[in-house]
Amino acid sequence: DTGVSQDPRHKITKRGQNVTFRCDPISEHNRLYWYRQTLGQGPEFLTYFQNEAQLEKSRLLSDRFSAERPKGSFSTLEIQRTEQGDSAMYLCASSLDNRSLIHFGNGTRLTVT
Amino acid sequence: QKEVEQNSGPLSVPEGAIASLNCTYSDRGSQSFFWYRQYSGKSPELIMSIYSNGDKEDGRFTAQLNKASQYVSLLIRDSQPSDSATYLCASLDSGNTPLVFGKGTRLSVIA
């Protein structure tokens, strides 16, 4: 069990560019979550998957954000036309099911200049 | 809207003292509660879970839950400087809704 893996760890991009992050959950974990965290705040829910199905999206997830989990294993989160307000830590987490403990990856820190 | 409230701190305690961290939640449907520790620049790390009223102890950590008062707490005994971190409280209901986090309480243990 190697834990939840996220790539890249850090991303610096210019406003208006597109970025894509990857998350590899713990093996055999059916649920995968994306959260966003800004300084001084707790993690805010963005979206989650049960296997390959995206079951819920927060209203925080504007139409510039899209997430996929095509084969029910790894997931990608893409942000199009990045804005400075998108600068945050993007956290991925996984769990076996809706009753199991949720474990986080190390996060991807995005800085939009 | 489901909310989890925490005092942002900082809470400062001397080394060896008991640190008491508190959390309230708004959703009476919440069934499970979690405490995560987060060091600066790092991701949250799960340290305790509690599902029933009462106390749950794990080493130097004790989680307390009072569903009638919608109150969760975390006690850290014999606090160490390495316990200095932000502690996040989170709740989960019995359905499919995701984990809801508070803003966290920053704890500083002074040597």
Side-chain angles (χ1 to χ4, degrees):
Chain A
D1 179 358
T2 57
V4 179
S5 177
Q6 291 188 246
D7 183 68
R9 293 293 303 277
H10 304 274
K11 179 70 177 179
I12 300 173
T13 191
K14 293 186 177 181
R15 188 176 55 187
Q17 297 295 305
N18 299 343
V19 294
T20 300
F21 310 141
R22 177 180 170 123
C23 172
D24 287 88
I26 294 172
S27 180
E28 298 185 1
H29 275 196
N30 296 317
R31 290 214 163 188
L32 186 148
Y33 309 83
W34 285 100
Y35 281 80
R36 180 175 69 186
Q37 187 176 26
T38 53
L39 197 62
Q41 302 295 314
E44 297 173 299
F45 169 75
L46 293 178
T47 188
Y48 84 95
F49 294 83
Q50 171 79 27
N51 299 313
E52 65 275 10
Q54 188 174 17
L55 295 188
E56 187 173 341
K57 293 193 291 186
S58 162
R59 60 180 180 274
L60 291 176
L61 213 66
S62 76
D63 56 6
R64 296 185 298 105
F65 288 70
S66 62
E68 294 182 343
R69 194 183 183 195
K71 297 181 180 179
S73 56
F74 73 91
S75 174
T76 58
L77 177 68
E78 182 183 16
I79 309 174
Q80 295 182 325
R81 305 181 302 282
T82 52
E83 302 173 355
Q84 287 187 318
D86 297 331
S87 296
M89 174 78 88
Y90 289 83
L91 295 163
C92 178
S94 71
S95 66
L96 192 58
D97 54 39
N98 67 325
R99 296 183 184 275
S100 300
L101 300 177
I102 295 171
H103 295 275
F104 284 85
N106 288 325
T108 293
R109 181 168 296 283
L110 172 67
T111 302
V112 181
T113 61
Chain B
Q1 182 171 344
K2 300 172 185 177
E3 291 185 340
V4 175
E5 300 286 342
Q6 294 182 258
N7 187 321
S8 62
L11 172 66
S12 294
V13 300
E15 183 176 359
I18 296 175
S20 177
L21 303 159
N22 305 314
C23 167
T24 59
Y25 59 95
S26 63
D27 180 20
R28 285 199 172 272
S30 295
Q31 298 290 318
S32 307
F33 303 88
F34 306 89
W35 284 99
Y36 285 80
R37 178 177 61 199
Q38 187 173 30
Y39 292 113
S40 180
K42 304 295 184 183
S43 63
E45 172 193 8
L46 180 66
I47 55 172
M48 287 287 286
S49 59
I50 187 165
Y51 309 101
S52 305
N53 280 329
D55 295 359
K56 179 182 177 182
E57 186 174 320
D58 183 1
R60 295 187 296 112
F61 298 99
T62 299
Q64 299 174 317
L65 174 59
N66 183 327
K67 290 187 177 181
S69 300
Q70 296 178 239
Y71 178 88
V72 192
S73 66
L74 178 70
L75 301 178
I76 306 174
R77 288 181 298 281
D78 188 24
S79 296
Q80 302 296 309
S82 59
D83 294 326
S84 298
T86 295
Y87 289 81
L88 297 162
C89 175
S91 71
L92 189 65
D93 67 20
S94 58
N96 283 318
T97 54
L99 208 54
V100 176
F101 283 88
K103 292 184 178 182
T105 298
R106 189 155 52 92
L107 171 67
S108 178
V109 180
I110 311 299

